[in-house]
Amino acid sequence: MTDGQSPRKRAQTSRAGSRRVNIQAVADGAGVSIATVSRVMSGKGGVSEPLAERVRRAAAELGYRPSFAAQSLATGATRMVGMVVPNLANPYFYDVIKDVNVAAVADGYQLAVADANEDPRAETELSESFLHKLDGLLLMSPRMDVPALRAIAQATDHLVLLNRVVPEVGIPTIAIDSMSGMLELCGHLHALGHRRAVYLGGPEHSWSNTERLRGIRQAGSFGLDVAEVSAGGTIAAGYDGAEKAWSTRPTAIICHNDLVAFGALTRLQELGVRVPEDVSLTGFDDIPFASYGSPALTTVAGQSGVGAAAWGLMKRLLAGHPQNEISLVPAHVVVRGSSAAPRAELVAAE
Amino acid sequence: MTDGQSPRKRAQTSRAGSRRVNIQAVADGAGVSIATVSRVMSGKGGVSEPLAERVRRAAAELGYRPSFAAQSLATGATRMVGMVVPNLANPYFYDVIKDVNVAAVADGYQLAVADANEDPRAETELSESFLHKLDGLLLMSPRMDVPALRAIAQATDHLVLLNRVVPEVGIPTIAIDSMSGMLELCGHLHALGHRRAVYLGGPEHSWSNTERLRGIRQAGSFGLDVAEVSAGGTIAAGYDGAEKAWSTRPTAIICHNDLVAFGALTRLQELGVRVPEDVSLTGFDDIPFASYGSPALTTVAGQSGVGAAAWGLMKRLLAGHPQNEISLVPAHVVVRGSSAAPRAELVAAE
DNA sequence: CTGTTAGCGCCTTCAT
DNA sequence: ATGAAGGCGCTAACAG
């Protein structure tokens, strides 16, 4: 019960059912036509100041708010864009969301985000739903299959892909260059003296995992041998996979992302394995937690511009300028305490 | 560019501008009236099977999708609800969002979330915006002031408050019982032998902080002395405030939430202060990270039902049943490695 | 500068 | 069981 208000908002106040205060009510109140009210409300000018003032007053008194549905129907636009993410649980996603959000708001757009809860089907459904309700759609690291993606791409031009490159379907894309980021990370480890490492892998069919693997395999060619243990993208996955990874007696464990590294770190500590004395450990993404752990995580940070760049793409799309850009933003290693030179006897034992 | 599609979707294919495939197009295609199409699409029955089949086929062939805006305008509903959160960065919020989400989806509603980025004004704006676009609004730990809240409550009956109780305004609410949760936590510390602690406080005017403080002050009456150091709700705040908290030489540091505890833990370790040997440390919320840190965090977990309960409230509201329930869900202490009995000499020194 | 009017696409009585 | 027609609230020509 909201205060002493009438229980039903739709109650007709006087005679004819003047339920919601609509544009007509304001027009009547101000003694003008609805067109004038519309012009005033949309701030498009072309209305004399005295009239405009009268309209504003009437609108304020009546508590008028334009109907979103009616506006959308009439204009064909909502000034809202949607973003679907596989899982809000990863702080990295949030970082990007935040950036997209501020950029969008600055341009007068509102961002609505939906969480697919790691379910590719939910992801597809949410996308289609948003697609038909909002002006644009940002897809973050989607796990849906290519046909589903193609179907969506076919239904709209206002689509931007984040952190997944799908060459078969021409969608404007912005993604972290995971491959070279990983390669650089491997280079860091190699320079430290590491020769035998393990990759604690991420979600099987995700683009980012594929790319990071590519980087790792490249690293093999310059002398860093990396075994692979599949895990997943979560803290729990890292925790669960750590023991198996350690059992191969590597001098370094390269984790798919910071979450995995975090979980692995915990498990290693439980096992009495010291990081970085006994083994080096690395993450990916540089989430806020990464710089705080003990030890702080050596990881890979994407240049921070992903979110803003994604919005830039979307903005141009919304303005009617087709884009076909697929840009990879550079990533770079952030060295912290979790990586160090391997102990001499371990390297020698090889 | 999406494949070989026409660059502009609105191009008229034949003669009269038959732009978007609308209900009329389907009706024509199936040789029926739009009313019939409408009935078939909405699955309300009352249409003979042969006809229905013809309509479905026509719709599929044309790739018909009802216009969201038109449906909303005609029915006055969207089957979407919004949720605004102060900051997606806190994993605790995400936990709740996830619960609300699955419950809502199960009832055929879609959840759109918006992030206020810690800005009360943005929070108010987002809320008002959602309010006039969607069927309902969930407000999570809102920081906006009471007048703003009241204004929103006045504009709709479909409003649910999470983790903030505002007696002055009668809004259906579901909140963690922070006060007694904190009290129980203090009880745990007291039982361990602690007598002198510090509270590393959260966002100044947030309800949760106020409640947690109340719990702490209560604790004073049974012998746990707690000084207060204000910080904030983030990892960084915990990191920054830790040294000052430690400088009071407490045997325990009680943090506003797990994020703060996490940051404080890092700083303490940098200072060479061991947890829990030199000082016990506690969090609040039991976010996933809490059980993984080293040491794992002693914290307070709300009974997991907050999200589902919030949706339950909203669902009844949407069904037209006014609610005035304000329910507090119990919270309980989760003891982990970060809390232990204080060293004897410290207690004795008192 | 202001008003009139025709849609926007769909739902929903009300007849048939 | 089906169709015809009147809104839902607003925007955007088009007239004046």
Side-chain angles (χ1 to χ4, degrees):
Chain A
M1 276 305 60
T2 60
D3 298 358
Q5 294 292 93
S6 159
R8 31 185 145 65
K9 303 295 180 197
R10 300 219 144 202
Q12 49 255 47
T13 312
S14 47
R15 54 201 68 181
S18 80
R19 41 193 70 180
R20 189 192 209 285
V21 309
N22 54 22
I23 199 171
Q24 183 67 62
V26 178
D28 292 349
V32 300
S33 75
I34 62 170
T36 299
V37 177
S38 175
R39 284 191 269 257
V40 173
M41 297 310 291
S42 61
K44 292 236 190 286
V47 177
S48 68
E49 193 41 44
L51 258 204
E53 188 47 36
R54 245 173 46 217
V55 170
R56 276 190 286 267
R57 181 139 32 220
E61 275 173 13
L62 296 169
Y64 170 66
R65 290 283 325 230
S67 151
F68 173 68
Q71 278 186 154
S72 306
L73 183 55
T75 63
T78 63
R79 296 202 72 84
M80 287 215 285
V81 297
M83 173 153 166
V84 0
V85 303
N87 194 336
L88 241 18
N90 189 336
Y92 168 70
F93 291 151
Y94 172 66
D95 267 9
V96 178
I97 291 173
K98 188 163 151 187
D99 287 352
V100 172
N101 193 40
V102 312
V105 166
D107 284 324
Y109 278 79
Q110 182 174 140
L111 179 68
V113 358
D115 180 324
N117 205 17
E118 294 288 0
D119 176 3
R121 207 165 45 210
E123 201 173 67
T124 306
E125 280 164 16
L126 285 172
S127 300
E128 300 215 307
S129 173
F130 268 1
L131 194 62
H132 293 283
K133 300 186 202 216
L134 312 180
D135 293 351
L137 181 61
L138 294 285
L139 252 34
M140 169 74 114
S141 306
R143 315 266 209 263
M144 71 180 81
D145 55 36
V146 173
L149 208 46
R150 191 193 309 278
I152 289 172
Q154 223 128 264
T156 182
D157 283 342
H158 300 170
L159 178 67
V160 168
L161 217 51
L162 278 82
N163 286 347
R164 171 166 171 188
V165 176
V166 187
E168 313 93 288
V169 189
I171 306 173
T173 299
I174 171 109
I176 293 271
D177 189 348
S178 282
M179 195 287 234
S180 66
M182 182 56 91
L183 193 54
E184 188 183 325
L185 179 65
C186 289
H188 160 69
L189 291 173
H190 186 268
L192 242 30
H194 293 271
R195 295 297 178 269
R196 203 175 58 245
V198 189
Y199 176 57
L200 207 44
E204 288 289 324
H205 298 299
S206 72
W207 179 78
S208 62
N209 192 50
T210 308
E211 286 298 291
R212 288 168 201 187
L213 264 175
R214 269 183 58 214
I216 280 175
R217 286 176 187 154
Q218 286 271 333
S221 67
F222 65 70
L224 181 65
D225 227 57
V226 187
E228 291 164 28
V229 170
S230 64
T234 64
I235 301 185
Y239 182 91
D240 295 340
E243 188 163 4
K244 183 165 178 198
W246 173 242
S247 71
T248 68
R249 287 299 176 274
T251 62
I253 299 179
I254 300 169
C255 298
H256 173 69
N257 65 20
D258 293 342
L259 254 26
V260 171
F262 204 82
L265 178 60
T266 299
R267 183 68 184 127
L268 288 173
Q269 285 171 162
E270 281 180 10
L271 295 172
V273 180
R274 291 164 307 163
V275 175
E277 293 82 356
D278 299 329
V279 68
S280 286
L281 186 76
T282 64
F284 209 110
D285 288 344
D286 194 22
I287 65 177
F289 283 93
S291 49
Y292 286 96
S294 58
L297 233 45
T298 288
T299 187
V300 178
Q303 201 172 262
S304 61
V306 179
W311 174 253
L313 237 34
M314 176 57 78
K315 186 179 178 181
R316 272 168 277 157
L317 250 19
L318 290 171
H321 308 306
Q323 306 288 120
N324 57 0
E325 180 181 338
I326 294 192
S327 62
L328 289 186
V329 338
H332 59 274
V333 174
V334 179
V335 177
R336 299 210 183 89
S338 71
S339 62
R343 291 214 305 269
E345 67 272 27
L346 286 179
V347 178
E350 189 182 352
Chain B
M1 275 302 62
T2 60
D3 298 359
Q5 293 292 91
S6 160
R8 32 185 143 66
K9 303 294 180 197
R10 300 219 143 201
Q12 49 256 44
T13 310
S14 45
R15 53 201 71 182
S18 80
R19 42 194 68 181
R20 190 192 208 283
V21 310
N22 56 21
I23 199 172
Q24 183 66 62
V26 179
D28 293 349
V32 299
S33 75
I34 64 169
T36 298
V37 177
S38 175
R39 284 191 269 257
V40 173
M41 295 312 289
S42 63
K44 291 236 191 289
V47 178
S48 68
E49 193 41 45
L51 258 203
E53 188 46 37
R54 238 165 61 209
V55 169
R56 277 190 285 268
R57 180 138 32 217
E61 275 174 12
L62 296 170
Y64 171 65
R65 291 283 325 230
S67 151
F68 173 67
Q71 276 185 155
S72 306
L73 182 55
T75 62
T78 63
R79 297 202 72 85
M80 287 214 283
V81 298
M83 174 154 169
V84 0
V85 303
N87 193 337
L88 238 21
N90 188 336
Y92 168 70
F93 292 152
Y94 173 64
D95 267 9
V96 179
I97 290 173
K98 188 164 148 185
D99 288 351
V100 172
N101 193 39
V102 312
V105 166
D107 284 324
Y109 277 80
Q110 183 175 140
L111 179 69
V113 359
D115 181 324
N117 205 19
E118 295 287 1
D119 176 2
R121 206 164 48 209
E123 201 173 67
T124 306
E125 279 163 16
L126 285 172
S127 299
E128 301 215 304
S129 172
F130 268 2
L131 192 62
H132 293 283
K133 300 185 204 233
L134 312 179
D135 294 349
L137 181 61
L138 294 287
L139 252 34
M140 168 73 114
S141 306
R143 315 268 209 263
M144 70 179 83
D145 55 37
V146 174
L149 208 45
R150 190 194 311 276
I152 289 173
Q154 223 129 266
T156 182
D157 284 342
H158 301 169
L159 178 66
V160 169
L161 217 50
L162 278 81
N163 286 346
R164 170 166 171 187
V165 176
V166 186
E168 312 94 286
V169 189
I171 306 174
T173 299
I174 170 108
I176 294 270
D177 189 350
S178 282
M179 195 289 235
S180 66
M182 182 56 91
L183 193 54
E184 189 183 324
L185 179 65
C186 288
H188 160 70
L189 291 173
H190 186 267
L192 241 30
H194 293 271
R195 295 296 178 270
R196 202 176 60 246
V198 189
Y199 175 56
L200 206 43
E204 288 290 323
H205 298 298
S206 71
W207 178 80
S208 62
N209 192 50
T210 308
E211 286 299 291
R212 289 168 201 186
L213 265 174
R214 271 184 56 216
I216 280 174
R217 287 174 186 155
Q218 286 273 332
S221 66
F222 66 70
L224 181 66
D225 227 56
V226 186
E228 291 163 28
V229 170
S230 65
T234 64
I235 301 185
Y239 181 91
D240 295 340
E243 189 163 4
K244 184 167 178 195
W246 173 242
S247 71
T248 69
R249 286 300 177 272
T251 63
I253 299 178
I254 300 170
C255 299
H256 173 69
N257 66 20
D258 292 342
L259 253 26
V260 172
F262 203 82
L265 179 60
T266 299
R267 184 69 185 125
L268 289 174
Q269 285 171 162
E270 282 180 9
L271 295 171
V273 180
R274 291 164 307 161
V275 175
E277 292 82 357
D278 300 328
V279 68
S280 286
L281 185 77
T282 64
F284 208 109
D285 288 344
D286 194 23
I287 64 176
F289 283 92
S291 49
Y292 286 97
S294 57
L297 233 44
T298 288
T299 187
V300 178
Q303 201 173 260
S304 61
V306 179
W311 176 252
L313 237 34
M314 177 55 79
K315 185 179 178 180
R316 272 168 277 155
L317 251 20
L318 290 171
H321 308 305
Q323 306 287 121
N324 57 0
E325 181 181 337
I326 294 193
S327 61
L328 289 185
V329 339
H332 60 275
V333 174
V334 178
V335 178
R336 299 210 182 89
S338 70
S339 63
R343 290 214 306 268
E345 67 271 27
L346 287 181
V347 179
E350 192 179 354

